[in-house]
Amino acid sequence: MKRWAGIVLVLTATGLLASPAPSTAKTEIQWWHAMTAVLGERVNEIAATFNASQNDYEVKAVYKGSYPDTLNAAIAAYRAKQPPHIVQVFEVGTQTMLSSGAVYPVFQLMKDHGIAVDWNDLIGPVKSYYSTGGNLSSMAFNSSTPILFYNKDLFKKAGLADKPPATWDEVEAMAKKLAGAGTKCGFSAAWPSWTLVENMHALHDQPFADQANGFDGLATRLQINGAFGVKMLELLQRGAREGWFVYNGRLNKAEANMGGGECGIFLSSSAYIGNLTRASEGKFVWGTGPLPRLSGYPQGSSIIGGATLWVMKGAKPEEYKGVAQFFKYLASTANQAWWAGVTGYLPLTNAAVKAMESSGHFQKNPQQRTAIDQMLGGKTTPNSQGIRLGNFVSIRDAIEEQMENIFSGKKTPKQGLDDAVAKSSEILKEFAALYR
């Protein structure tokens, strides 16, 4: 019972379907995902177009709730020995997946089925984050990175130039003007730990956890309570006290405030572009910019978020053949470029980037170029290559609980971050003890 942090049993080779399908029926492939709204529609479109492209397999895309909900549902399915063939897991679940022993590595799946994929064409941050020993463990699918969004109409109303803030000093100054002009929230952010703590450390080349953020071995302690982390949270606590920073909840809840036209400056995933485009249509105009920086710190890079597709052990050979064919379909340059273009996620291959450039997509949609330029303009270091932590979902909860205490004035930034580190260290040590 040590696998999956004491929850998940190593899978046995059991069938997934309750009854065998007729020989003339398509082999069914279960794909569990966490995509909603526009993104959910695109996922359904992918499954439908693949199903229509051939007669042997049928991919059934099943929405299982938020990212944490989807992971929890998958864990329950593993315990019942009825896992899906494919599960979409967000990046914070990567180390748990790697340690579980319950996955069929995607590079091995494709090799076993004689399908050649040019893994070296993957953009660097994606390949390095999801690879072990140079081999891709899960199928690259929806990678994103946080960027800055701004409401051009609210900027104009506040007398601000049509230009996104590039530094945190500018964020503070502009957000104060926005608040003074009656804007409900001058500045806010979705995914608070990811955008305001994890990515800020990486962007400024500051360590987030020991063991090179978990890449050199299982991390046992966070390092977010140093001078940089305290300075970031002091700025945000001041903003909350003065009213120019409005905290709007965990996960992506704050996107409703930006989409409703309430926020002037906003941080969220580049994948928010699709939903924001729909939410703002006919209501307000917006633009994008890179993440703001604090002066006096070295250049790092933003880190990827989003999710990948993991293949679970326990399926039948003919089903794995179908999964491999589906992944071959997803990996095509045409599909990669289409998916990035209609969602705002990063194009995952260099070939897809070139295809989008040659088609004029970025000229027509310059806001989608921001994330790519930010990633390519960064510097990859041990502090900015990403973060791999066991039970990262619980760690993120521990961080955000203390962020809320800091924003509400219940704790000083130093005290809150110290408490987040202490709680996270307990979680990390419990995870590490399972894999000694």
Side-chain angles (χ1 to χ4, degrees):
M1 294 295 288
K2 287 187 175 183
R3 294 293 188 188
W4 285 90
I7 300 176
V8 181
L9 294 172
V10 175
L11 304 176
T12 56
T14 56
L16 294 176
L17 303 180
S19 58
S23 58
T24 56
K26 290 185 174 184
T27 299
E28 183 176 304
I29 307 298
Q30 286 277 325
W31 174 18
W32 288 7
H33 69 88
M35 301 281 91
T36 60
V38 174
L39 299 178
E41 293 172 12
R42 300 310 186 198
V43 163
N44 290 335
E45 190 173 347
I46 288 172
T49 52
F50 172 74
N51 293 340
S53 72
Q54 44 73 49
N55 297 317
D56 297 321
Y57 311 103
E58 182 173 3
V59 171
K60 289 198 172 181
V62 182
Y63 172 67
K64 301 300 287 188
S66 67
Y67 278 138
D69 290 340
T70 301
L71 184 56
N72 289 336
I75 289 171
Y78 300 147
R79 294 182 66 188
K81 299 181 181 179
Q82 292 182 325
H85 301 85
I86 306 166
V87 61
Q88 181 189 33
V89 177
F90 59 159
E91 89 283 3
V92 300
T94 299
Q95 186 58 58
T96 301
M97 297 296 285
L98 290 172
S99 299
S100 70
V103 301
Y104 188 170
V106 69
F107 83 91
Q108 191 66 53
L109 170 80
M110 304 305 271
K111 182 179 179 180
D112 289 347
H113 291 86
I115 298 174
V117 178
D118 185 6
W119 302 118
N120 290 325
D121 193 45
L122 283 169
I123 60 174
V126 173
K127 186 175 187 297
S128 63
Y129 188 80
Y130 293 108
S131 293
T132 302
N135 294 313
L136 206 67
S137 300
S138 55
M139 183 67 185
F141 180 59
N142 60 304
S143 289
S144 59
T145 197
I147 58 174
L148 183 146
F149 298 82
Y150 69 107
N151 185 316
K152 295 189 176 190
D153 292 356
L154 293 178
F155 266 48
K156 184 176 181 181
K157 180 181 176 182
L160 294 170
D162 183 3
K163 184 179 179 182
T167 67
W168 280 103
D169 286 342
E170 291 179 354
V171 169
E172 181 172 0
M174 292 180 179
K176 284 180 178 178
K177 276 199 170 185
L178 287 159
T183 301
K184 286 187 177 181
C185 80
F187 167 69
S188 191
W191 309 104
S193 174
W194 185 55
T195 57
L196 299 172
V197 181
E198 297 162 37
N199 266 278
M200 284 302 111
H201 277 75
L203 188 67
H204 296 84
D205 195 19
Q206 302 298 303
F208 183 86
D210 64 357
Q211 296 291 340
N213 290 349
F215 277 74
D216 289 349
L218 292 179
T220 60
R221 187 172 182 81
L222 299 192
Q223 297 178 327
I224 60 174
N225 56 341
F228 175 82
V230 171
K231 185 173 183 178
M232 271 299 310
L233 270 296
E234 285 176 345
L235 182 150
L236 294 168
Q237 186 185 63
R238 182 171 70 249
R241 183 175 63 249
E242 295 176 354
W244 55 265
F245 165 51
V246 178
Y247 175 72
N248 285 309
R250 302 186 191 184
L251 299 174
N252 64 338
K253 291 180 181 178
E255 289 177 353
N257 301 88
M258 180 64 188
E262 297 178 4
C263 299
I265 305 168
F266 189 71
L267 303 186
S268 190
S269 168
S270 56
Y272 181 45
I273 286 174
N275 286 343
L276 182 57
T277 298
R278 176 172 292 183
S280 64
E281 189 172 3
K283 299 175 183 177
F284 61 90
V285 181
W286 53 273
T288 62
L291 292 175
R293 285 184 48 81
L294 279 175
S295 61
Y297 292 91
Q299 177 69 52
S301 175
S302 64
I303 54 179
I304 59 172
T308 50
L309 306 182
W310 295 79
V311 183
M312 301 292 97
K313 289 181 179 178
K316 298 175 182 177
E318 61 267 29
E319 294 166 350
Y320 282 133
K321 184 177 179 181
V323 173
Q325 289 298 319
F326 179 52
F327 282 0
K328 177 183 178 181
Y329 175 82
L330 289 181
S332 73
T333 298
N335 280 321
Q336 289 287 324
W338 172 83
W339 170 252
V342 298
T343 63
Y345 282 112
L346 294 167
L348 299 182
T349 63
N350 293 308
V353 174
K354 291 177 182 177
M356 295 174 77
E357 287 175 337
S358 63
S359 70
H361 179 83
F362 295 126
Q363 286 72 26
K364 298 174 184 176
N365 303 276
Q367 69 275 16
Q368 289 194 359
R369 185 79 210 196
T370 300
I372 299 170
D373 289 343
Q374 180 175 278
M375 294 298 290
L376 296 178
K379 182 180 179 182
T380 301
T381 73
N383 295 324
S384 66
Q385 62 186 328
I387 303 168
R388 284 185 183 172
L389 304 179
N391 288 346
F392 202 170
V393 175
S394 296
I395 290 169
R396 193 173 269 180
D397 283 341
I399 293 171
E400 291 178 345
E401 178 183 6
Q402 297 307 324
M403 292 175 77
E404 290 164 355
N405 286 332
I406 293 168
F407 298 156
S408 64
K410 293 179 181 178
K411 294 184 179 180
T412 66
K414 178 61 175 172
Q415 179 186 4
L417 290 174
D418 284 346
D419 290 347
V421 168
K423 177 63 176 177
S424 297
S425 294
E426 294 176 7
I427 297 169
L428 288 168
K429 288 175 182 177
E430 288 173 2
F431 184 86
L434 297 172
Y435 300 101
R436 288 174 180 168

